[in-house]
């Protein structure tokens, strides 16, 4: 997979300029980078006079509904007409949009693939993919600059939010000097940093906090203390009223523990279906581990979905992680 370059930017820019109708697609269980990229590009294309709609299978998490334009993003429960050109944002594969939405998408549509995951398989007719970028929002920023489009406040704010969330507040190794320069420029466009801080980090619901408490109650360590895992059963989610809750950051409570190299979060989203989150600090490529079950992501952050009984899945994954520890 080639690094992002001027030629790729030019190709993607021309594709967006030449088409008139777009449907933007983000991945299921969306995070800040996904939502930010969808909202920012939707606003920018709309400002050009393009016909644009957007779909995220599960809808927009409450955390990001303060973003102007997020209310225009549909879910599978209120599906709009799917336009002739599809733009996949922050999706390493076409299937990443979710099982329900994947089955509703025309197979012959033109695809523009904009992403930063190392596991992206270049599935688009046009591929703008850079695994070295901090976020998909960073790539969208460069694309809008290439198109000479104005960065309005409604574009700058979601881009800034996406970059902040996918860099862990500029802490992760994917953060580069250019990432900071982009963030600084977005602030100069008028991003309300107090609003962003409050909504992203100081507005957790009581249900989400209860969920994190339950995850910590289930915290376990490997014998050498280098692997920390937490789990949430389907019954846990039902009892807390959190089956459909979108939440981020819970896994980092395990990753942040001293001497832990790999953190895992097992979440049973329905009986027998386990979503596994992987995080590592320095030594383990969790993208490779997640790839064992058709998942992927980044070297230090990845995910996969496994089917089976929760304890059996935990045992299987923990054994595989131990094999990868140096």
């Amino acid at each position: 997979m080639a690094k992002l370059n001027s030629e790729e930017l030019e190709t993607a820019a021309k594709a967006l300029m030449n088409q008139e109708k777009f449907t933007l697609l983000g991945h299921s269980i969306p995070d800040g980078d996904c939502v930010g990229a969808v909202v920012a590009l939707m606003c920018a294309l709309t400002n050009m006079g393009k016909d644009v709609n957007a779909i995220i299978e599960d809808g927009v998490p409450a955390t990001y509904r303060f973003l102007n334009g997020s209310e225009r993003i549909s879910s599978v429960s209120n599906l709009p007409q799917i336009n002739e050109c599809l733009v996949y944002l922050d999706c390493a594969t076409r299937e990443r949009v979710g099982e329900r939405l994947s089955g509703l998408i025309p197979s012959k549509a033109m695809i523009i693939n904009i992403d930063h995951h190392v596991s992206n398989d270049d599935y688009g007719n046009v591929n703008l993919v850079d695994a070295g970028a901090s976020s998909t929002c960073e790539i969208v920023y460069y694309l809008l600059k290439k198109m000479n489009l104005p960065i309005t406040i409604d574009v700058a704010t979601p881009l800034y939010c996406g970059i902040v969330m996918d860099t862990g507040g500029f802490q992760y190794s994917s953060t580069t000097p250019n990432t900071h320069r982009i963030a600084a420029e977005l602030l100069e466009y008028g991003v309300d940093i107090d609003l962003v801080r409050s909504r992203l980090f100081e507005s957790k619901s009581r249900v989400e906090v209860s969920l994190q408490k339950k995850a910590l109650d289930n915290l376990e360590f490997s014998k050498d203390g280098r692997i920390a895992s937490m789990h949430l059963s389907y019954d846990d989610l039902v009892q807390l009223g959190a089956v459909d809750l979108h939440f981020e950051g819970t896994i980092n409570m395990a990753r942040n523990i001293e001497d832990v190299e790999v953190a895992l979060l097992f979440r049973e989203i329905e009986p027998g279906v386990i979503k596994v989150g992987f995080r590592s600090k320095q030594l383990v490529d969790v993208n490779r581990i997640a790839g064992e079950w058709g998942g992927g992501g980044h070297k230090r952050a990845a995910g996969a979905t496994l089917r089976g009984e929760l304890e059996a899945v935990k045992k299987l994954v923990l054994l595989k992680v131990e094999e990868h520890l140096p």
Side-chain angles (χ1 to χ4, degrees):
M1 178 167 42
K3 291 282 289 182
L4 185 66
N5 57 41
S6 181
E7 183 178 343
E8 291 172 339
L9 278 170
E10 184 71 29
T11 300
K14 286 182 177 178
L16 291 175
M17 297 289 285
N18 292 337
Q19 297 291 324
E20 292 301 321
K21 295 185 177 182
F22 300 90
T23 292
L24 311 186
L25 303 170
H27 60 73
S28 62
I29 313 181
D31 57 9
D33 187 30
C34 171
V35 175
V38 171
V39 172
L41 187 58
M42 178 170 57
C43 289
L45 292 175
T46 300
N47 291 341
M48 293 177 66
K50 305 287 188 180
D51 182 346
V52 189
N53 58 38
I55 310 168
I56 292 176
E57 182 178 77
D58 312 288
V60 177
T63 301
Y64 304 110
R65 291 178 194 160
F66 76 100
L67 295 170
N68 289 335
S70 64
E71 72 283 354
R72 294 176 53 199
I73 298 176
S74 302
S75 68
V76 290
S77 64
N78 62 334
L79 202 69
Q81 176 180 338
I82 298 178
N83 288 317
E84 57 203 34
C85 181
L86 304 178
V87 183
Y88 285 71
L89 290 150
D90 205 37
C91 297
T93 66
R94 289 187 63 176
E95 295 72 28
R96 189 68 180 87
V97 297
E99 291 183 6
R100 290 173 294 163
L101 183 53
S102 289
L104 302 172
I105 296 173
S107 58
K108 296 183 179 180
M110 177 184 175
I111 294 176
I112 300 174
N113 166 29
I114 303 175
D115 185 38
H116 73 127
H117 291 92
V118 69
S119 53
N120 193 288
D121 57 11
D122 289 340
Y123 54 83
N125 303 100
V126 175
N127 297 291
L128 185 59
V129 178
D130 180 10
S134 71
S135 55
T136 297
C137 281
E138 184 173 312
I139 298 173
V140 171
Y141 165 86
Y142 282 118
L143 179 59
L144 298 182
K145 285 290 187 177
K146 188 71 175 180
M147 297 170 70
N148 293 314
L149 296 180
I151 306 292
T152 65
I153 188 64
D154 289 343
V155 173
T157 300
L159 289 180
Y160 185 80
C161 288
I163 291 170
V164 166
M165 295 305 288
D166 241 37
T167 60
F170 306 102
Q171 297 179 80
Y172 299 159
S173 58
S174 59
T175 305
T176 67
N178 279 336
T179 306
H180 284 290
R181 292 186 187 103
I182 293 168
E185 184 175 332
L186 294 173
L187 289 176
E188 289 174 348
Y189 287 121
V191 172
D192 185 340
I193 197 167
D194 289 327
L195 174 65
V196 169
R197 185 198 69 251
S198 173
R199 296 306 299 265
L200 296 187
F201 304 111
E202 299 173 354
S203 300
K204 292 185 183 297
S205 68
R206 294 186 181 186
V207 172
E208 185 174 353
V209 174
S210 295
L211 200 69
Q212 292 180 328
K213 177 179 181 298
K214 185 65 178 178
L216 284 172
D217 286 342
N218 295 332
L219 178 65
E220 299 173 322
F221 296 93
S222 60
K223 289 182 179 179
D224 62 3
R226 300 175 71 199
I227 305 171
S229 66
M230 300 181 291
H231 66 267
L232 293 163
S233 70
Y234 184 71
D235 286 344
D236 291 333
L237 299 182
V238 170
Q239 289 172 10
L240 292 170
V243 172
D244 297 319
L245 180 69
H246 300 281
F247 57 93
E248 297 178 63
T250 300
I251 191 172
N252 290 329
M253 296 189 300
R255 182 182 182 271
N256 292 342
I257 298 170
E258 185 180 15
D259 296 328
V260 168
E261 168 60 24
V262 178
L264 303 166
L265 175 63
F266 299 88
R267 184 161 58 99
E268 190 174 23
I269 59 171
E270 59 183 85
V273 181
I274 319 298
K275 281 196 172 290
V276 187
F278 301 81
R279 298 290 185 275
S280 67
K281 287 182 178 174
Q282 294 180 320
L283 305 176
V284 176
D285 182 350
V286 292
N287 176 67
R288 290 183 59 192
I289 302 174
E292 296 278 345
W293 298 284
H298 308 286
K299 286 185 176 182
R300 302 290 173 253
T305 300
L306 286 77
R307 296 182 181 272
E309 192 268 329
L310 179 58
E311 287 301 318
V313 169
K314 285 173 54 183
K315 183 177 180 180
L316 176 67
V317 173
L318 285 165
L319 285 173
K320 181 61 65 173
V321 172
E322 287 177 355
E323 291 176 9
H324 284 257
L325 279 172

